[in-house]
Amino acid sequence: MELSLLGRRKIAVLFLFGVGIPSLALAYLAFRGIRNELALLEQRRLGEHRALAGIVGDTIAARIAMVEQAFIGAVADHDDPLAPDLADSLSVWRSQEPLVEEVFFLEEPATVHLPVARLLYHPDGSVPTPATSWPPGAAASMRTGQQREFQQRRFGAALASYESAFSQVADPVLKGEALVAMARSQRMAGQLEAAIASWERLLADYAGVRTTSGVSLGPMALLEHGSLLLATGDSSHALDTYLELYERLVGGEWTLERAEYEFFTGRAHDSATGLGAGNALAEIRAADQERRESTERLLLFQASAGGDLVARVFGEIPGDAAGPRRFVLESAGHTYLVSLPNRASSARGVWGLLLDADYLRDRLLRPVLERHIDLGTTDWVVRGRDGSTILTARDGPPAGPLSINATFTNSFPPWLIEFYQQPQSPYKRLFASSQSIYLYMFLAIASIMLFGLVLTVRAVGHELELARLKSKFVSTVSHEFRSPLTSIRQLAEMLQAGRVPSEDRRRHYYDVLVEQSSRLSTLVTNILDLARIEEGRKEFRFEAVDVGPLVDELVTMTRHRVGHEGYAVETHVTEPFPPVRADRDSIVQALANLVDNALQYSGDAKRVNLYASSGDGYVAITVEDQGVGIPRQDLDRVFDRFYRGGNELTRSVRGSGLGLTLVKEIVEAHGGSVHVESELGSGSKFSIRLPVMTEQINGEDPDR
């Protein structure tokens, strides 16, 4: 045990200094290389993020520059910035450029024009009324009709006067006013169908007319038409008329002032709601709210931004500055992205563009970021100047540490891009490094050496144990040799000296000499045969062997040898068995070892039984005793070389520990098997199974 422990300690020390310390040094170098690699990777990531920010900023700037160049081309050949034909062409151009929120013209001293703006309404009092007057005859007819309608309540006569006035004028404004009076009188006279027809005629011919009193006839006609349909009981068509009115108002079909728009949209919404309008009304209402916000935003820009624009255009930036001028304008609580293409100007003022921040954010910036940035390694967030979130790569807060903050080219738009490095598993970062080859080498070497150490320790431990067993075997065999040799020498000396008093005593001594000689011969034979079998030098002569006579012969020999010691060896082989393919001497030797083993461990029950049976192409021979038995934990090792069980009783029996090993080697060389059944204190049962003899086995002559 001390030798084994010393050997293991020596191996551990050699492994530590020969493999462990060099491996740790290699691991240290590997980790240093990996740490440097990770630092370089961080620097490379920062450079990549800066490059990405430059790509994103340049892409957005190029898209804006393209719009500016197209706008310069659209206004370059027009001297009058407010000419109707220019407004028409700019309106078409603007509809094709979704990035442009609105086109404006800044005229000194600080007037902002929105020549192509599609506003829902204009400030009250800003829409001019027609300067048209009634001819004397038509004016007289209108006064007569009004007197008959409002004072005399003679609606039929009033209608005739209005019709006379209508026929006397050709101006659309005057005709529209006369037709309104006619429809009103018809309704008061109960002529609802005629009134409906009049409003429909007015809607068809005079919808775009604005009266001298500042009333737009188109929305008035639709509103009254719906009211008349409702009065006739046609609520379905009335609802359709109110929805049509609301939709056309939101579409900006008529030039209205704020109060007019509020009045007509309120009446249309309330009337449609009262008639049970559903999703259609909700959609129009949502569009109304969106366009109201856009209209108010543009009206505030037109009303309030003039002074700020003048200060930026003519104050801070020289008039001959090259290239476009882009900046953010804060005015009246709103933020505007302003672009002033430098060459797009005239003697009267400067052209400018308002860029659509929503389109810039959602349709330009997001696709560029998603196209150039891999979310597997980099997360990003776009924030406003106040820190508010403009865009995010994913829902929730960004993952990983902040890498860099980057602004756009010339800080336009006024947003900030934040790049975050996605967190990686330490193992992934470690093993993904180009320097990880050192780590792989270290792990491979350490694994191999650890495996080798385990195998070496086990092998050395096995060899040490084997050496211990061999040492014990030599001691045991020496004792085994010494005992019979001592007996033979003593008896021989007594016989030689003539000191044996009687013939019976001499005969007994002769029997003991034969027995001890046989014992020595058996021990030597076992040792030599086991060595030959293990070295492959043992030659077996296979032949057909009858089990019955072989067992009877073995029992007879054993009785003659140990019968004087009180042992009883019985055979229970009565029926004939098929011959087995075996080397007769080797099988006798194996069975003799089993019988000797049973005799040695029979204890007080000096009885051994031999049985035989056949089946499944095998003949089984069993040797059974009623002796001390074998502990359960030793059953799997009783056939190992030099092994003897841990029971004190078994250790007290002399033996070399090779008998059962030789039995197993012999039986397996015959293509058979050996089994043991035993319980401690109840005896043991050893069985060998040998294949039955056939005429030829695997094409081999059985006598070979």
Side-chain angles (χ1 to χ4, degrees):
M1 182 59 68
E2 292 181 357
L3 180 61
S4 174
L5 182 59
L6 181 60
R8 293 179 183 179
R9 287 180 177 176
K10 184 176 181 180
I11 292 173
V13 171
L14 290 176
F15 177 81
L16 176 63
F17 286 97
V19 177
I21 294 178
S23 298
L24 290 176
L26 181 62
Y28 172 73
L29 294 177
F31 279 109
R32 282 195 59 184
I34 292 171
R35 186 178 62 183
N36 294 335
E37 177 73 11
L38 293 177
L40 292 175
L41 179 62
E42 293 293 336
Q43 293 296 325
R44 189 161 55 247
R45 286 281 174 82
L46 290 177
E48 291 175 355
H49 290 172
R50 292 191 181 96
L52 286 173
I55 291 173
V56 173
D58 292 344
T59 303
I60 298 301
R63 180 69 175 90
I64 296 174
M66 184 178 67
V67 172
E68 292 170 341
Q69 290 300 318
F71 179 68
I72 290 173
V75 301
D77 298 331
H78 294 80
D79 296 330
D80 185 1
L82 302 180
D85 59 336
L86 177 58
D88 293 339
S89 64
L90 286 179
S91 180
V92 174
W93 175 83
R94 178 187 173 279
S95 65
Q96 298 172 352
E97 290 290 351
L99 179 57
V100 178
E101 179 184 5
E102 197 52 73
V103 176
F104 69 89
F105 184 78
L106 176 63
E107 184 178 18
E108 292 194 76
T111 303
V112 177
H113 299 281
L114 302 174
V116 297
R118 293 183 58 197
L119 301 175
L120 283 182
Y121 49 80
H122 299 269
D124 293 337
S126 62
V127 180
T129 57
T132 304
S133 60
W134 287 88
S141 297
M142 288 296 293
R143 286 194 298 272
T144 301
Q146 291 171 357
Q147 184 178 17
R148 291 173 177 176
E149 179 184 1
F150 296 111
Q151 294 180 6
Q152 300 174 9
R153 312 292 290 176
R154 295 167 56 199
F155 301 114
L159 177 60
S161 298
Y162 293 144
E163 289 175 346
S164 174
F166 180 82
S167 63
Q168 296 178 47
V169 295
D171 188 291
V173 175
L174 300 179
K175 277 188 169 293
E177 291 184 359
L179 193 55
V180 169
M182 290 167 56
R184 187 176 61 244
S185 298
Q186 288 168 342
R187 178 169 187 171
M188 297 301 294
Q191 301 174 20
L192 300 183
E193 295 298 332
I196 291 174
S198 296
W199 286 114
E200 290 176 350
R201 179 182 178 186
L202 191 147
L203 188 62
D205 298 335
Y206 307 102
V209 172
R210 188 173 185 84
T211 67
T212 55
S213 60
V215 178
S216 181
L217 293 183
M220 176 187 288
L222 278 173
L223 185 62
E224 293 298 331
H225 184 258
S227 177
L228 285 169
L229 289 173
L230 192 60
T232 60
D234 191 355
S235 58
S236 176
H237 285 88
L239 176 59
D240 292 341
T241 301
Y242 289 130
L243 291 176
E244 179 186 357
L245 170 60
Y246 199 3
E247 188 172 10
R248 292 173 71 175
L249 286 168
V250 174
E253 185 171 335
W254 299 291
T255 301
L256 304 174
E257 295 181 352
R258 182 184 279 106
E260 284 184 289
Y261 183 82
E262 296 288 351
F263 171 77
F264 286 121
T265 53
R267 288 289 303 274
H269 178 270
D270 293 343
S271 299
T273 302
L275 293 174
N279 294 333
L281 179 61
E283 293 176 2
I284 298 172
R285 179 68 173 175
D288 179 23
Q289 294 296 329
E290 181 179 351
R291 291 215 56 200
R292 279 174 187 261
E293 293 175 2
S294 176
T295 296
E296 287 295 332
R297 172 180 166 84
L298 292 176
L299 289 177
L300 287 171
F301 177 78
Q302 185 179 31
S304 306
D308 295 331
L309 287 172
V310 168
R312 296 295 297 268
V313 174
F314 303 108
E316 300 177 8
I317 304 176
D320 59 349
R325 286 164 286 179
R326 303 169 192 151
F327 54 89
V328 179
L329 182 64
E330 299 284 350
S331 180
H334 290 272
T335 301
Y336 303 91
L337 302 182
V338 181
S339 172
L340 300 176
N342 195 45
R343 290 169 290 175
S345 60
S346 68
R348 294 178 53 182
V350 177
W351 283 103
L353 300 174
L354 295 182
L355 302 182
D356 190 336
D358 293 338
Y359 183 86
L360 182 63
R361 177 193 63 204
D362 298 328
R363 305 297 296 276
L364 292 183
L365 180 56
R366 179 181 286 278
V368 170
L369 290 169
E370 292 177 347
R371 183 168 61 251
H372 289 92
I373 298 177
D374 180 13
L375 288 181
T377 59
T378 304
D379 202 352
W380 53 264
V381 175
V382 180
R383 301 190 188 277
R385 291 189 298 183
D386 58 353
S388 60
T389 300
I390 304 295
L391 275 180
T392 58
R394 65 184 84 238
D395 294 335
L402 177 65
S403 175
I404 63 168
N405 294 324
T407 58
F408 288 86
T409 304
N410 297 325
S411 298
F412 187 89
W415 301 332
L416 190 69
I417 307 178
E418 296 178 350
F419 290 93
Y420 295 85
Q421 184 173 329
Q422 286 279 32
Q424 290 184 337
S425 168
Y427 299 102
K428 182 177 180 181
R429 295 178 66 186
L430 188 63
F431 287 97
S433 170
S434 61
Q435 302 294 325
S436 60
I437 183 64
Y438 297 112
L439 181 63
Y440 289 127
M441 291 173 58
F442 165 72
L443 292 178
I445 294 173
S447 300
I448 293 172
M449 297 309 299
L450 183 61
F451 181 69
L453 177 66
V454 173
L455 291 182
T456 302
V457 170
R458 291 189 62 183
V460 170
H462 179 72
E463 291 300 325
L464 291 175
E465 181 65 17
L466 187 61
R468 185 185 65 82
L469 292 175
K470 285 183 177 180
S471 176
K472 185 176 181 180
F473 166 74
V474 170
S475 175
T476 302
V477 169
S478 299
H479 181 75
E480 289 288 315
F481 274 96
R482 183 182 299 126
S483 295
L485 285 175
T486 300
S487 298
I488 292 173
R489 180 178 178 179
Q490 289 178 350
L491 294 177
E493 288 178 350
M494 292 177 65
L495 290 172
Q496 184 182 25
R499 291 183 296 173
V500 181
S502 65
E503 186 65 24
D504 291 339
R505 176 64 64 178
R506 280 196 298 272
R507 189 178 298 110
H508 174 70
Y509 285 173
Y510 289 143
D511 290 338
V512 173
L513 289 174
V514 171
E515 178 186 350
Q516 295 299 323
S517 299
S518 176
R519 179 179 171 188
L520 284 174
S521 177
T522 299
L523 181 60
V524 172
T525 301
N526 285 345
I527 295 174
L528 295 178
D529 284 348
L530 181 60
R532 292 192 189 100
I533 291 175
E534 288 182 342
E535 295 173 1
R537 295 187 294 106
K538 175 69 175 178
E539 294 183 0
F540 295 96
R541 180 175 179 81
F542 293 101
E543 59 182 345
V545 176
D546 191 349
V547 171
L550 184 146
V551 172
D552 290 340
E553 180 182 345
L554 175 64
V555 169
T556 300
M557 292 174 55
T558 304
R559 286 173 178 170
H560 177 72
R561 181 165 56 88
V562 299
H564 63 281
E565 297 180 9
Y567 289 98
V569 182
E570 302 293 337
T571 177
H572 302 277
V573 182
T574 57
E575 58 183 87
F577 294 99
V580 298
R581 178 178 179 271
D583 182 308
R584 180 183 180 86
D585 293 339
S586 297
I587 295 301
V588 169
Q589 182 182 7
L591 289 174
N593 281 338
L594 290 179
V595 172
D596 286 344
N597 194 70
L599 292 173
Q600 289 179 357
Y601 295 100
S602 61
D604 296 333
K606 297 185 177 183
R607 183 179 184 83
V608 177
N609 297 301
L610 277 77
Y611 303 90
S613 62
S614 64
D616 298 330
Y618 287 88
V619 172
I621 306 172
T622 301
V623 178
E624 181 184 26
D625 65 70
Q626 287 81 39
V628 297
I630 303 172
R632 183 179 301 273
Q633 64 271 18
D634 293 339
L635 288 177
D636 294 334
R637 302 185 61 188
V638 293
F639 296 102
D640 293 347
R641 287 185 302 169
F642 313 126
Y643 182 79
R644 305 187 70 194
N647 184 275
E648 292 297 330
L649 181 57
T650 60
R651 289 181 177 178
S652 64
V653 178
R654 294 176 299 176
S656 62
L658 293 178
L660 293 179
T661 304
L662 182 61
V663 171
K664 182 180 179 183
E665 295 290 346
I666 292 174
V667 173
E668 290 182 350
H670 283 70
S673 60
V674 58
H675 304 278
V676 59
E677 299 178 13
S678 180
E679 289 186 9
L680 193 62
S682 300
S684 303
K685 184 188 295 184
F686 287 85
S687 301
I688 61 174
R689 298 176 74 242
L690 300 173
V692 173
M693 180 69 179
T694 58
E695 291 184 359
Q696 201 171 31
I697 299 176
N698 296 330
E700 181 182 1
D701 188 346
D703 292 333
R704 290 184 59 186

